[in-house]
């Protein structure tokens, strides 16, 4: 079944201008925005649990805390998988159920940590923080700047625009800014979609 989330590429014009009016572009942008707070939540949870676990290892309670940390990581990774599938059409399959393990508590703990894919998911959650920062910065630079330049002919009289030391004071100069803003907006759409594709591929590699 074809991926309905993939941006159409019927012609050169569609490839260049089509993403601007496609809903998936703005869903991608929304995903990049929410990836920052999600990355912060993942980072804080991992740091808190694993630092507490390492600190309590001398009294053995730390082993149980670390075990809980890996269980929590699996749950957070599953949340990320659902979000990516829903918003980006990543089609990441659900993780297979772990086979039951008999024996002592420590044997079950070791089996949970050694389960295939556990450390990949754990590393992915750590990477969500820097990738979320990068995503947030890209959106917050490209989108507001593009909008500001596109609306320059309407706002230049009460919002100062400076190019170097020269201020935009005429409608014609504001139109030039608007044209540049249109080019920047088009480039921004492609940059954000390309970065989203990188995030989607990384998620597929680490969460599958």
């Amino acid at each position: 079944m074809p991926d309905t989330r993939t941006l159409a590429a019927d012609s050169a014009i569609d490839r260049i201008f089509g993403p601007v009016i496609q809903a998936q572009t703005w869903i991608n942008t929304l995903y990049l925005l929410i990836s920052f707070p999600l990355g912060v939540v993942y980072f804080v949870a991992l740091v808190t649990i694993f630092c507490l676990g390492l600190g309590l290892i001398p009294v053995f309670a730390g082993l149980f805390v670390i075990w809980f940390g890996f269980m929590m990581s699996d749950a957070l990774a599953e949340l990320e998988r659902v979000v990516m599938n829903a918003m980006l059409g990543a089609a990441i399959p659900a993780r297979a159920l772990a086979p039951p393990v008999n024996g002592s508590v420590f044997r079950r703990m070791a089996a949970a940590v050694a389960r295939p894919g556990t450390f990949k998911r754990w590393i992915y959650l750590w990477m969500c923080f820097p990738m979320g920062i990068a995503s947030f910065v890209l959106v917050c630079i490209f989108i507001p700047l593009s909008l500001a330049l596109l609306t320059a002919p309407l706002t230049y009289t009460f919002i100062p625009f400076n190019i170097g030391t020269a201020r935009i004071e005429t409608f014609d100069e504001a139109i030039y800014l608007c044209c540049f803003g249109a080019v920047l907006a088009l480039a921004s759409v492609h940059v954000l979609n390309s970065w989203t594709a990188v995030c989607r591929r990384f998620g597929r590699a680490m969460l599958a």
Side-chain angles (χ1 to χ4, degrees):
M1 181 177 180
D3 185 359
T4 57
R5 299 282 182 164
T6 302
L7 296 176
D10 297 329
S11 66
I13 293 178
D14 290 331
R15 288 194 297 270
I16 296 172
F17 298 100
V20 176
I21 60 173
Q22 290 182 349
Q24 187 58 43
T25 293
W26 307 109
I27 295 174
N28 291 348
T29 304
L30 178 60
Y31 171 80
L32 295 180
L33 284 174
I34 67 173
S35 66
F36 173 63
L38 286 176
V40 171
V41 170
Y42 302 156
F43 181 79
V44 171
L46 291 173
V47 168
T48 302
I49 293 297
F50 284 99
C51 286
L52 179 62
L54 291 174
L56 293 176
I57 279 182
V59 294
F60 294 104
L63 295 176
F64 293 94
V65 175
I66 292 175
W67 183 24
F68 172 77
F70 279 106
M71 294 173 60
M72 178 192 68
S73 298
D74 194 53
L76 293 177
E78 183 64 16
L79 170 63
E80 183 69 13
R81 184 188 72 84
V82 171
V83 171
M84 293 191 75
N85 283 351
M87 300 188 70
L88 306 183
I92 303 171
R95 195 181 191 191
L97 295 176
V101 177
N102 298 321
S104 66
V105 172
F106 293 104
R107 185 175 179 182
R108 293 197 295 271
M109 291 170 60
V113 174
R115 184 181 173 192
T118 294
F119 279 97
K120 284 174 59 179
R121 287 182 157 216
W122 185 68
I123 292 172
Y124 175 83
L125 291 176
W126 283 105
M127 290 300 298
C128 281
F129 182 56
M131 292 181 71
I133 293 176
S135 299
F136 187 77
V137 169
L138 285 174
V139 174
C140 289
I141 288 177
F142 281 113
I143 298 300
L145 181 58
S146 297
L147 290 176
L149 295 176
L150 284 171
T151 58
L154 302 176
T155 61
Y156 78 97
T157 56
F158 55 89
I159 297 179
F161 285 92
N162 294 313
I163 300 179
T165 58
R167 181 173 176 174
I168 302 301
E169 297 180 343
T170 67
F171 183 75
D172 288 343
E173 292 172 340
I175 288 294
Y176 290 137
L177 276 186
C178 181
C179 294
F180 178 74
V183 175
L184 179 62
L186 185 61
S188 300
V189 164
H190 288 281
V191 169
L192 296 179
N193 280 338
S194 297
W195 176 243
T196 304
V198 171
C199 295
R200 183 171 57 247
R201 284 195 295 268
F202 184 62
R204 283 174 175 167
M206 302 299 285
L207 298 177

